Amino acid sequence: MLNFLQANLKKQYLCHYLKNTMRIDIITVSPELIKSPFEHSIIKRAIDKKLVEVHFHNLRDYAINAYGKIDDTPFGGGAGMVLMIEPIEKCISKLQKERDYDEIIYTTPDAKALNQQTANSLSLAENIIILTGHYKGVDQRVRDLFITKEISIGDYVLSGGELAAAVISDAIIRLIPGVIGDEMSALTDSFQDNLLAPEVYTRPANYKGNKVPDVLLSGNFKKIDIWRENNAIARTKRIRPDLLD
Ligand code: 6GU
């Protein structure tokens, strides 16, 4: 945690002086499916402020023939289509000729699940590619030859990796220094210290007899900090005891 805080701070200064912009290239069969999460709220603001650039690449533009062929049936038989290596290699190598990439990520349910630590470390990268899984997956040689990191977003199956790529990008982008106004707010989120966030309340202090804990109205910030810490620990024990192991 401390290492991440230090690295995040360092990036904050470096970005300020060098004016670097993080770049995410998303290679997908359905660019339209994935674009809208980048057009709203915090992520849109990050793009508008030039703290991050997100580029979408339609794999179909790298098809092996004029009919737009990018997938084929699996050798050995079985259901579903497999994305071919050639279009993917063409797209990745075009991007690699333009700049170096820190990671080439593949979204797939058969990988380790994304966690805050992975998001923290990816937020320090300069350029990343995310290849989104689709259909029955990609030819294994793509994973062996080009992919440096495989990420799932949990133990359930989505109909494609596009939503996962949006989730991963969001988790990364909000950590880039300057994206969230109050820097401490991203760094004190649930999971940053393996604890769930404490409960929060706002006005009215009494809603139809349901009262806000007195301590939060006390104005005693030391007591409030202690209450929040204890509340976070109690909630974590109750809801996610695995985080405390
Ligand atoms: Cl990354 N892709 C798909 N298709 N399903 C998922 C996933 C990814 N992560 C969890 N389920």
Side-chain angles (χ1 to χ4, degrees):
M1 177 57 186
L2 201 63
N3 280 343
F4 171 63
L5 273 174
Q6 284 163 347
N8 189 286
L9 216 60
K10 195 167 149 194
K11 175 158 180 170
Q12 207 170 325
Y13 286 116
L14 282 175
C15 286
H16 183 72
Y17 288 114
L18 303 176
K19 304 245 179 294
N20 296 6
T21 300
M22 184 180 190
R23 180 179 169 117
I24 303 177
D25 287 277
I26 300 179
I27 306 173
T28 173
V29 176
S30 307
E32 293 313 314
L33 172 59
I34 196 185
K35 279 181 182 167
S36 86
F38 297 89
E39 293 166 356
H40 305 274
S41 183
I42 291 173
I43 305 304
K44 177 184 191 297
R45 234 181 311 136
I47 294 169
D48 290 346
K49 285 207 261 173
K50 303 206 173 354
L51 296 169
V52 64
E53 280 177 28
V54 185
H55 297 267
F56 302 93
H57 307 277
N58 191 337
L59 197 56
R60 201 72 66 181
D61 296 339
Y62 300 85
I64 63 160
N65 63 21
Y67 303 104
K69 190 173 181 60
I70 51 171
D71 56 11
D72 210 333
T73 54
F75 280 129
M81 299 292 271
V82 177
L83 288 176
M84 305 170 91
I85 188 168
E86 192 180 330
I88 294 170
E89 170 164 41
K90 275 200 272 184
C91 186
I92 290 177
S93 55
K94 174 174 175 270
L95 290 171
Q96 280 177 321
K97 277 192 202 110
E98 293 161 4
R99 70 196 63 75
D100 288 331
Y101 284 91
D102 302 295
E103 297 281 2
I104 302 180
I105 296 165
Y106 174 56
T107 60
T108 176
D110 58 339
K112 264 175 99 169
L114 180 68
N115 60 22
Q116 193 60 51
Q117 214 181 325
T118 306
N120 287 350
S121 95
L122 288 172
S123 76
L124 300 171
E126 215 171 299
N127 301 312
I128 61 179
I129 291 174
I130 305 179
L131 169 67
T132 71
H134 205 59
Y135 306 123
K136 267 285 153 203
V138 297
D139 189 303
Q140 180 59 34
R141 291 165 293 185
V142 170
R143 299 169 72 161
D144 295 342
L145 295 174
F146 311 130
I147 299 301
T148 62
K149 197 175 201 62
E150 301 189 333
I151 302 178
S152 156
I153 60 163
D155 291 339
Y156 43 82
V157 178
L158 302 169
S159 41
E162 289 82 7
L163 296 178
V167 166
I168 295 164
S169 301
D170 184 302
I172 295 170
I173 291 170
R174 62 189 296 288
L175 293 169
I176 298 171
V179 169
I180 291 185
D182 174 6
E183 217 62 62
M184 285 318 287
S185 114
L187 302 179
T188 55
D189 283 333
S190 276
F191 300 112
Q192 280 297 10
D193 46 11
N194 269 352
L195 286 179
L196 303 185
E199 294 161 358
V200 293
Y201 297 87
T202 188
R203 274 175 270 279
N206 183 341
Y207 186 66
K208 298 179 181 172
N210 298 280
K211 290 185 187 154
V212 168
D214 284 337
V215 60
L216 297 179
L217 308 174
S218 70
N220 182 334
F221 293 104
K222 201 165 163 204
K223 273 195 178 163
I224 292 171
D225 275 349
I226 293 168
W227 181 87
R228 285 189 171 143
E229 168 107 32
N230 288 335
N231 185 265
I233 294 168
R235 295 189 73 227
T236 310
K237 273 188 187 155
R238 188 171 77 245
I239 302 164
R240 292 292 306 277
D242 54 297
L243 293 176
L244 298 169
D245 291 343

